[in-house]
Amino acid sequence: MGVLDIVPTGVITGDNVMKLFTYAREHQFAIPAINVTSSSAINSVLEAARDAKSPVIIQVSQGGAQFFAGKGLNNDGQAASILGSIAAAHHTRTVAKHYGVPVVLHSDHCAKKLEPWFVGMLEADEAYFKQHGEPLFSSHMLDFSEESKEHNIDACKKYLTRMAPMKIWLEMEIGITGGEEDGVDNTGVENSALYTQPEDIWDIQRELSAISPFFSIAAAFGNVHGVYKPGNVRLHPELLGKHQAFVKDKLNSKDDKPVFLVFHGGSGSTKDEIKTAVSHGVVKMNIDTDTQYAYWEGVLKFYKKNEGRLQGLLDAEEKPNKKFYDPRVWLREAEVSMRKRVEEAFNDLNTTKQL
């Protein structure tokens, strides 16, 4: 039995997202969530998933969505970011099924200051649901981790109540992911804020499950965004096991992993740390920094190899260089390089050949 025995190919929503995450938790694998900024990046991720025979999560950040729409557009009121998110969603929906893999379509890290972006996507979900009987996106992340715990939970409850009729998955964050990514800078936070407490996880589980079962928690266990060597980040994924045990005891449950957990800030993580996190119920891990570099590295290597043919329309012998500077050539090298890094993530998370 595999993933395709329980969910279809293409973008999945609602009960199928629940089935996928439940299956992943039971079979101890996590699904990489890849941040994308263009249709080229989306296609690269889908190609990697197809070749690895793996489900995948495609996600847009607020800044990535703005870029998708075009940096030349005005982003007052998050208008360009909303438009870019919708455009990325429709592109993914158009092509995903043809790659033969299940895809969770997600929006990443909406801080309080970006709330209009979140609302705009929800309005697009509601319009799509009215026409098609399912939301445009599979899930959204609300990241109010910089606010008080009470404010964070109340905001999640408000939006989950709105999302519940469409069965949209909500990902929330408690505790702070350190480092810096996409304009969110947490490099100066207190070390204690990087570690979520079991009581916090229980409070969230209790409050949100009264509204809908369609949610996951990004708990902090020393995670950081950015670039770090493996071993240089003080991660404690074993804490996730304590969170699960605490909630299990509170629920008097037979399930050893009653909480759906998410791994943010995986930069600098060792393969053993990733394996430990997955063993404790992590079903999703964000990948961004490494895939950004892999995309660029494809272009870099192509340039170094063909530098002499990329200095003008003609080379020194007046032969045309079009086959070298054509964007379809060097962008394809970027896609292939990114695809290889995404395939590595599938292997690290035990997601390869899960279809």
Side-chain angles (χ1 to χ4, degrees), residues 185-202:
D185 189 351
N186 291 325
T187 53
V189 300
E190 291 292 330
N191 189 62
S192 59
L194 302 179
Y195 299 95
T196 304
Q197 300 304 309
E199 293 82 3
D200 298 332
I201 301 297
W202 166 239

Side-chain angles (χ1 to χ4, degrees), residues 281-307:
V282 164
V283 297
K284 170 182 179 281
M285 180 175 174
N286 287 10
I287 313 288
D288 187 17
T289 302
D290 290 353
T291 47
Q292 283 184 349
Y293 184 78
Y295 194 87
W296 157 246
E297 189 176 36
V299 179
L300 177 64
K301 288 182 176 179
F302 178 79
Y303 180 81
K304 287 183 175 180
K305 180 180 178 181
N306 302 287
E307 185 174 358

Side-chain angles (χ1 to χ4, degrees), residues 77-78 82 86 107 110-112 114-127 140-142 144 158-159 162 166:
Q78 300 298 322
I82 294 167
I86 294 170
S107 66
C110 178
K112 183 176 175 59
L114 305 178
E115 204 167 347
W117 172 52
F118 194 92
V119 172
M121 289 186 291
L122 279 186
E123 290 174 348
D125 282 319
E126 289 162 343
H140 295 294
M141 184 196 177
L142 193 66
F144 278 29
K158 180 181 76 171
Y159 283 112
R162 182 172 174 179
M166 297 179 283

Side-chain angles (χ1 to χ4, degrees), residues 217-283:
I217 303 172
F221 51 96
N223 324 53
V224 293
H225 291 135
V227 182
Y228 300 86
K229 291 182 180 180
N232 283 7
V233 177
R234 304 190 72 176
L235 289 176
H236 292 280
E238 70 278 2
L239 294 176
L240 300 179
K242 295 181 179 180
H243 298 337
Q244 295 283 19
F246 190 87
V247 175
K248 176 186 177 181
D249 182 64
K250 288 290 187 180
L251 292 173
N252 194 26
S253 172
K254 295 181 179 179
D255 189 349
D256 289 333
K257 292 178 283 188
V259 183
F260 290 103
L261 294 172
V262 175
F263 190 161
H264 283 194
S267 301
S269 308
T270 66
K271 294 185 187 301
D272 283 343
E273 287 168 338
I274 293 172
K275 184 177 180 180
T276 299
V278 172
S279 74
H280 291 311
V282 164
V283 297

Side-chain angles (χ1 to χ4, degrees), residues 293-352:
Y293 184 78
Y295 194 87
W296 157 246
E297 189 176 36
V299 179
L300 177 64
K301 288 182 176 179
F302 178 79
Y303 180 81
K304 287 183 175 180
K305 180 180 178 181
N306 302 287
E307 185 174 358
R309 301 299 301 269
L310 292 166
Q311 303 308 310
L313 294 174
L314 303 173
D315 69 5
E317 298 177 358
E318 296 190 348
K319 295 178 181 179
N321 289 325
K322 188 178 188 309
K323 290 183 179 179
F324 295 88
Y325 63 73
D326 186 327
R328 291 170 294 182
V329 178
W330 51 268
L331 277 176
R332 178 56 184 163
E333 294 300 318
E335 291 174 357
V336 170
S337 180
M338 181 176 177
R339 183 195 71 201
K340 292 177 181 177
R341 180 59 185 86
V342 175
E343 289 174 350
E344 182 182 336
F346 288 130
N347 289 330
D348 290 345
L349 295 170
N350 194 33
T351 320
T352 303

